[in-house]
């Protein structure tokens, strides 16, 4: 346990909500009953694109994520964050080191993972509900069951839409939805096959600030309800601190973890939390670490 915050008041003056006290308890994971088993284990992993003469994206990268934990990864642009996502899901295989998910070595693409990226990439010719059901057509055992149990799966997809506030929009085409609504649908598609691990690569990066905060609430509540493990890559430090149980800061390329920060604010976390001094102290601490990492970034045109 790294910090202990007790009752505190908000430091944002305007608005009735801002005057409500926010309880900032630093929760010891052991006492909170959070499972302690590692669900994702990455040890000493090195990956170079284009072989030994190519670009070393990550080098001797070691990190692990507990089962049910919400982990966030931040770091300078080009430091290997998306590479880390590809490695963990088996889309690329490292030259060196070991990656295991749920106790099994990763040797190829995993189907216990749901993924969402910045671009929702919903298929424009499919209605929203049909887009959400796409993984069920591919992933076992659903692909085999889908035809016979269609009604059951449609009900599941509709329940997901309700959960993210898109109830009634299933028959709309993606281009009839706003950017925020498309990203909600994207989260539904990532979660429809009930994966144990959700990988999010800058999923809210293209949204305006208000929509992004709404989506934070959506993912916070989904995680609370469904208890999956999350790895979120983001360049938004407030997003990382608000959502995560632990934030990993990566160095400039070749990426490795230079700071691991437990974020112990109790859950559920109100959005007001993001205006407190305690919250912003952590954001500043992370920002300084990233500024150091960026200072080490090789200049464009250098041979590195
Ligand atoms: N398929 C690829 N082939 C060659 N180089 C790549 C490839 N993907 C990424 N890279 C390089 O690897 C480094 C890390 O990339 P990436 O993991 O996308 O970083 P981030 O997501 O942190 O911005 C960058 O220098 C990038 O140019
Ligand atoms: Mg990236």
């Amino acid at each position: 346990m790294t910090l202990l915050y007790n009752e505190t008041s908000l430091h944002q003056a305007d608005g009735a909500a801002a005057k409500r006290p926010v309880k900032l308890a630093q929760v010891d994971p052991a006492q909170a009953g959070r499972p302690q088993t590692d669900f994702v284990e990455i040890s000493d992993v090195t990956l170079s694109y284009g072989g030994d003469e190519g670009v070393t994206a990550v080098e001797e990268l070691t990190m692990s994520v507990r089962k049910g934990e919400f982990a966030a990864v931040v770091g300078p642009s080009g430091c290997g964050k998306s590479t880390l996502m590809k490695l963990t899901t088996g889309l690329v295989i490292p030259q060196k080191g070991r990656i295991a998910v749920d106790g099994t070595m990763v040797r190829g693409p995993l189907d216990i993972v749901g993924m969402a990226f910045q671009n929702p990439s919903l298929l424009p010719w499919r209605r929203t509900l049909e887009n959400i059901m796409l993984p069920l057509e591919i992933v076992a055992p659903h692909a085999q069951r889908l035809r016979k149990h269609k009604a059951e799966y449609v009900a599941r997809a509709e329940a997901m839409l309700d959960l993210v506030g898109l109830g009634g929009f299933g028959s709309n085409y993606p281009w009839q939805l706003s950017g925020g609504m498309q990203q909600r649908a994207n989260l539904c598609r990532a979660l429809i096959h009930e994966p144990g691990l959700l990988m999010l690569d800058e999923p809210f990066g293209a949204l305006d600030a208000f929509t992004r905060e709404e989506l934070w609430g959506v993912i916070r509540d989904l995680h609370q309800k469904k208890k999956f493990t999350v790895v979120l890559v983001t360049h938004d430090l407030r997003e990382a601190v608000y959502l995560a149980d632990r934030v990993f800061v990566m160095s400039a390329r070749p990426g490795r973890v230079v700071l691991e920060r437990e974020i112990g604010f109790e859950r559920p976390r109100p959005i007001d939390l993001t205006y407190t001094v305690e919250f912003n102290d952590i954001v500043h601490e992370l920002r300084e670490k990233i500024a150091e990492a960026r200072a080490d970034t090789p200049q464009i045109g250098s041979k590195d």
Side-chain angles (χ1 to χ4, degrees):
M1 188 161 78
T2 45
L3 278 175
L4 184 64
Y5 297 133
N6 291 315
E7 288 282 337
T8 188
S9 58
L10 281 169
H11 298 269
Q12 191 203 30
D14 57 329
K19 297 201 176 64
R20 256 185 284 126
V22 176
K23 201 172 168 207
L24 302 178
Q26 189 76 15
V27 181
D28 183 332
Q31 286 169 17
R34 228 169 26 194
Q36 294 294 297
T37 12
D38 284 335
F39 195 72
V40 178
E41 299 168 73
I42 299 172
S43 48
D44 213 15
V45 162
T46 297
L47 178 106
S48 300
Y49 291 104
D52 291 344
E53 299 292 299
V55 175
T56 302
V58 298
E59 190 165 44
E60 295 173 5
L61 175 73
T62 295
M63 64 179 275
S64 57
V65 181
R66 297 183 285 259
K67 194 170 169 65
E69 185 177 23
F70 199 126
V73 178
V74 296
S77 178
C79 75
K81 300 183 296 297
S82 295
T83 301
L84 165 68
M85 304 301 255
K86 289 186 241 171
L87 285 162
T88 308
T89 50
L91 297 178
V92 294
I93 303 297
Q95 279 92 7
K96 187 169 163 269
R98 177 179 179 277
I99 301 171
V101 173
D102 200 13
T104 304
M105 283 279 285
V106 176
R107 295 200 169 88
L110 297 179
D111 60 13
I112 64 155
V113 183
M115 282 190 267
F117 307 99
Q118 182 166 330
N119 179 354
S121 62
L122 300 167
L123 303 174
W125 60 88
R126 281 188 161 215
R127 293 176 193 276
T128 301
L129 193 85
E130 295 160 349
N131 263 287
I132 290 170
M133 292 179 67
L134 188 65
L136 301 174
E137 296 169 22
I138 301 162
V139 176
H142 311 294
Q144 293 72 26
R145 295 185 76 242
L146 187 59
R147 193 186 293 258
K148 267 197 171 167
H149 302 269
K150 185 89 186 258
E152 179 195 315
Y153 282 114
V154 167
R156 187 198 283 197
E158 280 172 346
M160 282 298 302
L161 282 171
D162 279 344
L163 262 185
V164 303
L166 278 186
F169 286 91
S171 58
N172 285 49
Y173 287 98
W175 39 269
Q176 295 172 317
L177 305 179
S178 69
M181 291 162 91
Q182 288 184 29
Q183 200 51 273
R184 285 169 197 249
N186 194 22
L187 288 173
C188 289
R189 185 177 56 184
L191 292 169
I192 190 71
H193 58 299
E194 302 193 332
L197 178 62
L198 178 64
M199 306 289 288
L200 302 171
D201 195 347
E202 312 216 0
F204 312 132
L207 303 174
D208 65 82
F210 289 114
T211 310
R212 199 178 312 155
E213 286 190 6
E214 275 174 24
L215 269 286
W216 292 355
V218 169
I219 192 66
R220 172 199 64 193
D221 294 346
L222 283 171
H223 175 246
Q224 191 80 15
K225 192 168 164 55
K226 302 273 184 182
K227 316 270 182 225
F228 42 74
T229 306
V230 187
V231 181
L232 164 74
V233 163
T234 178
H235 59 258
D236 183 338
L237 299 181
R238 291 177 64 243
E239 180 171 298
V241 176
Y242 178 64
L243 287 172
D245 298 308
R246 195 155 39 136
V247 179
F248 295 87
V249 178
M250 284 175 71
S251 68
R253 186 177 68 78
R256 59 196 166 75
V257 174
V258 289
L259 180 73
E260 195 182 309
R261 181 66 157 86
E262 293 275 352
I263 312 290
F265 299 122
E266 73 177 12
R267 295 180 185 276
R269 296 174 183 173
I271 195 72
D272 297 349
L273 172 66
T274 63
Y275 297 103
T276 61
V277 167
E278 288 80 358
F279 181 93
N280 283 294
D281 282 349
I282 300 179
V283 171
H284 281 129
E285 182 189 326
L286 297 177
R287 174 163 288 126
E288 275 175 22
K289 202 72 196 173
I290 292 186
E292 278 172 32
R294 275 170 63 91
D296 294 339
T297 309
Q299 297 304 301
I300 291 171
S302 80
K303 290 241 171 188
D304 189 22

